[in-house]
Amino acid sequence: MEDQNHLTVPLADHHVSDKGRRGKMYGMLLESVQYYIKTDHGEDIWRAVLEHVGLKNAVFTTHVVYPDHVMLDLSKACSVLVGDRTPEEYLQYFGQCFVKFFSHYGYDKIVRISGRHYRDFLKEIDNLHENMRFSFPHMHSPSFNVSKEDGDGCVLVYRSRRQGFMQYVVGQLCECASMFYGIDVTVSKITQKTIDAGYCTKFRLNFINSAFREKVGAMSQLSPSQFSTLSANTLFKIFPFCIVFDDSLIIRHTGASLPMLLETDSLVGSELLTRLLIRRPLIDCTWSNVKRLQRVTFEFQYRSPVHRLSNASGGSGVKPQASKVLLRGQVKFMEDWNMMVFLCAPLVSGLTDLEKMGLYISDLNMYDNSRQMVMTGWQHSSVLEYSIEQQVKQSDKISGTMQKLDEWQQKSNMLLYNMIPESIAQDLKAGVDPIKTCQVFEDVTILFSYLVDFTLICTRGTPMQIVQCVNNIFTVFDSVVDKHSCFKVETLGDAVYMVAGGVPDRHPNHAHQVAGLALDLLRLSKELKDPTTGKCLQFRLGMHSGGVVGGVIGRRMPQYCLFGDTVNTASRMQSHGKPGKIHVSEQSYGHLEKSNFKLVSRGTIAVKGKGTMQTYWLMEGGDSVDTSNIN
């Protein structure tokens, strides 16, 4: 877990603005979704949601970045799989979850102290985001500002580079009001439009804004200042990097250290926006907009990269480094001058940035916390980086473990489904009593296959040769059972192979499925060799249709078995058949006679325990041998 002294609270949809990462968000937002879906709906639902969005076994990590669409995909998946909310309602729920999530780690204190009243908090959101610079260096958060205020609420303008997260922000605003200020807020959209910096939405927030009324009533109690006016020289000494500009956005003056930082003396007299690019807040940089947002932290980027030798490079022959200069601070309107002054300082996160900019501690303002921030960042950055690295490693380890668990789960299921039909196995895993899985099947088809002269082969070969031979036979036969949608009931030690069609998944064309399988088995058997002589093995096959009872028998080694006279009759068809032929009963013939299978009458024969029976041969060469698509 990250050091709580370094991780401040993100309040909205955080956009990763680093080159090559545009359109991504930090994992902390997704962690909150992960936590509360598991808590409210269970681990199985969360796994199903991840699989639905194509992120099976993913584990979201605070400082790892993920594509924006993941959050939107999760809301849609939850709507489909849980079904209790629309995707938009789930986005709002995710926003509420995020506020509750960071509160678990004590970050709610930062929100609580951001303002005495909810209105104060709304005005400080942008400044709160600025405190996250060192913990989330690639973040480019949205912008919020209160454009109008009254006793019944306010108008809040939300600007963001990403689209589709409006309801997520609404959830956060409502949850913050409820959790930290004990008030109810209703949010409605006034307008929404596309701007150069992304998307702009204007909300109406209705709440009891008692603090606004108190301020109105207290205005008359203010008294004039008894202090003399601060001189311009003193102001520029306190803020050595400041910029003064007029209502035409022309730079009129700068602090003494700024030309040295930017390595230029041509700032004065130039247009502000030709030299600087506004990064925060997300507004059109006009005189009226800037004047209206004097309480908001501004950030400008110098448009030209500055090439200089770092303080640590030393020596000759070292190539100058190109560095990006960011200036951050507050804009104030100077009424006596009728100008704005940008009271800023270069954005420096530690000693490394200071060296890259060619600055020294003595260049920084000693009247604010610039020097302390540089030294504090240097002292704690290594600890923070190590913590982040360990968290990412742990997340990768958990994800890998879950992947292995899933692979072993699949192997376990495959083994189970080879022993018991999948539908029956699912019932048993759900806790159904094995006896209750028993079913009556009015009409199915059973096939037996037997290796001719198996006893003689056993007397000629070694035990290992016999085991290998039987294994080869069953492996080849197993490869085509699923193709015909049949179920292998069992195999016996004397090379008897039993298959059923229409069990446990009922199907009217069960005889066609088994017949197609029998022809395939007969064809494949010609490729199998006697390990003792090298000659082709021969098989007898017999099939019969009728009713059976199927169910799981035993608890220690459960097995799905079929019972009934149909099983006995199918076995008799095999034992009364001939090598290399498929013996078919009259009942199976009745299912197949109008198909394209080639059947030849054998006549009436005496069958042990059954009397005389009319039987048939299923011949090779029929037009419809392949039954893989019969379903």
Side-chain angles (χ1 to χ4, degrees):
M1 187 59 59
E2 288 72 28
D3 186 342
Q4 294 185 13
N5 294 323
H6 285 72
L7 182 59
T8 51
V9 185
L11 266 290
D13 60 294
H14 294 142
H15 185 90
V16 177
S17 61
D18 193 29
K19 184 178 180 181
R21 289 182 169 184
R22 188 168 298 279
K24 295 187 177 183
M25 65 173 65
Y26 274 104
M28 189 177 185
L29 282 76
L30 299 171
E31 270 189 300
S32 63
V33 177
Q34 175 178 282
Y35 177 83
Y36 278 99
I37 293 297
K38 284 183 179 181
T39 302
D40 294 349
H41 301 288
E43 183 78 31
D44 291 341
I45 288 293
W46 176 244
R47 289 185 180 181
V49 168
L50 287 179
E51 188 168 358
H52 191 84
V53 300
L55 293 173
K56 191 174 182 180
N57 296 322
V59 178
F60 298 119
T61 308
T62 301
H63 284 85
V64 175
V65 293
Y66 302 89
D68 280 350
H69 66 79
V70 172
M71 180 74 77
L72 303 177
D73 292 346
L74 289 175
S75 68
K76 295 174 184 176
C78 287
S79 180
V80 171
L81 297 176
V82 182
D84 58 341
R85 295 181 176 95
T86 65
E88 291 74 19
E89 290 171 338
Y90 258 106
L91 272 179
Q92 186 168 336
Y93 167 72
F94 290 168
Q96 295 169 331
C97 290
F98 182 66
V99 175
K100 291 185 286 188
F101 180 73
F102 67 61
S103 299
H104 288 176
Y105 302 101
Y107 304 147
D108 55 314
K109 296 177 182 178
I110 298 177
V111 178
R112 293 183 192 277
I113 66 172
S114 64
R116 187 179 303 277
H117 304 283
Y118 185 58
R119 64 186 289 271
D120 303 322
F121 159 74
L122 294 175
K123 294 177 180 180
E124 289 295 319
I125 294 178
D126 275 19
N127 295 332
L128 282 172
H129 286 147
E130 288 304 311
N131 294 329
M132 302 173 61
R133 285 292 184 182
F134 304 111
S135 296
F136 297 90
H138 300 295
M139 184 194 73
H140 200 150
S141 54
S143 176
F144 296 84
N145 67 83
V146 176
S147 64
K148 185 180 178 182
E149 188 179 6
D150 54 51
D152 296 319
C154 68
V155 174
L156 182 69
V157 180
Y158 157 65
R159 296 177 177 87
S160 176
R161 283 181 166 82
R162 56 159 54 95
Q163 187 178 21
F165 284 78
M166 183 183 72
Q167 292 302 322
Y168 186 81
V169 172
V170 170
Q172 292 179 315
L173 293 172
C174 293
E175 191 65 22
C176 284
S178 175
M179 282 190 63
F180 306 130
Y181 298 96
I183 61 174
D184 295 325
V185 176
T186 58
V187 182
S188 58
K189 182 178 71 174
I190 300 175
T191 60
Q192 187 174 30
K193 62 181 180 179
T194 302
I195 58 176
D196 292 339
Y199 304 92
C200 177
T201 304
K202 187 177 291 187
F203 294 113
R204 172 65 194 184
L205 276 62
N206 291 317
F207 59 94
I208 300 174
N209 194 4
S210 57
F212 176 79
R213 293 168 182 164
E214 291 171 3
K215 183 177 180 181
V216 171
M219 288 294 289
S220 60
Q221 302 175 11
L222 296 177
S223 59
S225 173
Q226 300 177 358
F227 298 98
S228 59
T229 304
L230 186 71
S231 69
N233 288 335
T234 303
L235 178 69
F236 296 139
K237 186 180 294 185
I238 296 174
F239 298 99
F241 298 97
C242 70
I243 301 174
V244 179
F245 56 93
D246 61 18
D247 56 1
S248 299
L249 301 186
I250 302 297
I251 299 175
R252 295 304 181 188
H253 192 79
T254 67
S257 297
L258 188 65
M260 176 184 62
L261 172 67
L262 302 181
E263 294 188 337
T264 179
D265 293 322
S266 60
L267 289 174
V268 176
S270 59
E271 293 184 12
L272 178 70
L273 296 182
T274 62
R275 311 305 294 269
L276 299 173
L277 171 68
I278 185 169
R279 288 169 55 92
R280 289 192 57 79
L282 301 177
I283 60 169
D284 294 330
C285 190
T286 63
W287 174 263
S288 58
N289 282 342
V290 173
K291 188 176 181 180
R292 178 169 49 86
L293 299 177
Q294 294 186 58
R295 291 190 56 169
V296 175
T297 299
F298 277 72
E299 182 181 303
F300 286 89
Q301 177 184 334
Y302 188 54
R303 289 184 178 273
S304 303
V306 178
H307 295 80
R308 59 161 60 85
L309 292 174
S310 71
N311 297 339
S313 58
S316 59
V318 179
K319 187 177 180 180
Q321 299 179 3
S323 60
K324 178 174 63 176
V325 177
L326 299 177
L327 301 172
R328 187 180 66 172
Q330 193 173 7
V331 176
K332 283 294 182 183
F333 175 64
M334 308 299 287
E335 189 173 356
D336 293 344
W337 303 351
N338 194 30
M339 294 185 188
M340 293 279 191
V341 56
F342 181 31
L343 305 173
C344 63
L347 189 60
V348 181
S349 61
L351 295 182
T352 302
D353 283 355
L354 200 69
E355 290 176 349
K356 288 181 179 179
M357 292 184 179
L359 295 176
Y360 296 86
I361 291 290
S362 59
D363 294 326
L364 300 180
N365 187 358
M366 64 179 297
Y367 303 105
D368 62 14
N369 62 350
S370 299
R371 299 186 180 188
Q372 290 84 346
M373 288 178 64
V374 170
M375 298 305 297
T376 302
W378 168 69
Q379 292 169 5
H380 294 285
S381 62
S382 60
V383 177
L384 180 61
E385 288 174 3
Y386 177 77
S387 299
I388 294 172
E389 182 181 339
Q390 293 303 308
Q391 185 193 38
V392 172
K393 286 183 178 179
Q394 186 66 19
S395 175
D396 291 342
K397 185 177 180 180
I398 294 174
S399 182
T401 301
M402 292 182 65
Q403 181 69 34
K404 290 181 180 179
L405 177 64
D406 187 65
E407 291 173 1
W408 280 107
Q409 183 74 44
Q410 292 180 13
K411 291 179 181 179
S412 175
N413 287 338
M414 287 178 61
L415 180 60
L416 178 62
Y417 299 155
N418 284 335
M419 299 167 57
I420 300 174
E422 183 173 351
S423 57
I424 304 299
Q426 294 291 351
D427 290 339
L428 295 177
K429 289 167 69 175
V432 177
D433 190 292
I435 296 300
K436 294 183 179 180
T437 64
C438 294
Q439 294 176 285
V440 176
F441 298 89
E442 292 78 10
D443 197 17
V444 300
T445 299
I446 307 296
L447 171 72
F448 278 94
S449 169
Y450 175 72
L451 174 58
V452 178
D453 294 332
F454 177 71
T455 304
L456 183 60
I457 295 173
C458 288
T459 61
R460 293 197 300 253
T462 66
M464 286 304 299
Q465 284 181 315
I466 303 307
V467 171
Q468 188 173 7
C469 175
V470 175
N471 182 65
N472 290 341
I473 294 170
F474 291 166
T475 300
V476 170
F477 285 7
D478 288 347
S479 65
V480 292
V481 170
D482 290 341
K483 170 185 172 183
H484 296 277
S485 301
C486 295
F487 173 66
K488 183 178 78 170
V489 181
E490 62 180 346
T491 54
L492 301 178
D494 54 350
V496 174
Y497 194 86
M498 178 182 176
V499 181
V503 177
D505 300 321
R506 304 171 191 270
H507 197 281
N509 293 320
H510 51 83
H512 298 72
Q513 294 171 332
V514 173
L517 173 62
L519 290 169
D520 265 358
L521 296 182
L522 196 61
R523 174 180 56 81
L524 292 171
S525 68
K526 296 175 182 178
E527 302 174 5
L528 299 170
K529 305 294 182 181
D530 184 336
T532 61
T533 64
K535 295 180 180 179
C536 290
L537 295 174
Q538 288 192 310
F539 293 84
R540 288 197 308 264
L541 291 88
M543 55 186 285
H544 174 65
S545 301
V548 296
V549 175
V552 176
I553 303 301
R555 293 185 181 274
R556 186 180 181 88
M557 294 184 65
Q559 184 177 1
Y560 188 77
C561 298
L562 300 179
F563 302 92
D565 188 61
T566 298
V567 177
N568 298 330
T569 304
S571 179
R572 291 286 183 264
M573 290 295 100
Q574 176 274 123
S575 61
H576 287 71
K578 293 183 178 181
K581 289 184 175 293
I582 304 170
H583 198 197
V584 180
S585 70
E586 188 171 13
Q587 286 77 3
S588 294
Y589 172 80
H591 288 285
L592 300 174
E593 63 176 331
K594 294 183 180 180
S595 68
N596 292 326
F597 289 103
K598 185 178 180 181
L599 293 137
V600 176
S601 176
R602 185 184 183 184
T604 302
I605 63 170
V607 178
K608 182 180 178 181
K610 301 295 178 183
T612 58
M613 294 181 64
Q614 175 70 39
T615 62
Y616 301 83
W617 299 117
L618 175 61
M619 309 298 292
E620 294 183 85
D623 295 335
S624 292
V625 175
D626 186 1
T627 61
S628 59
N629 296 318
I630 202 166
N631 290 329

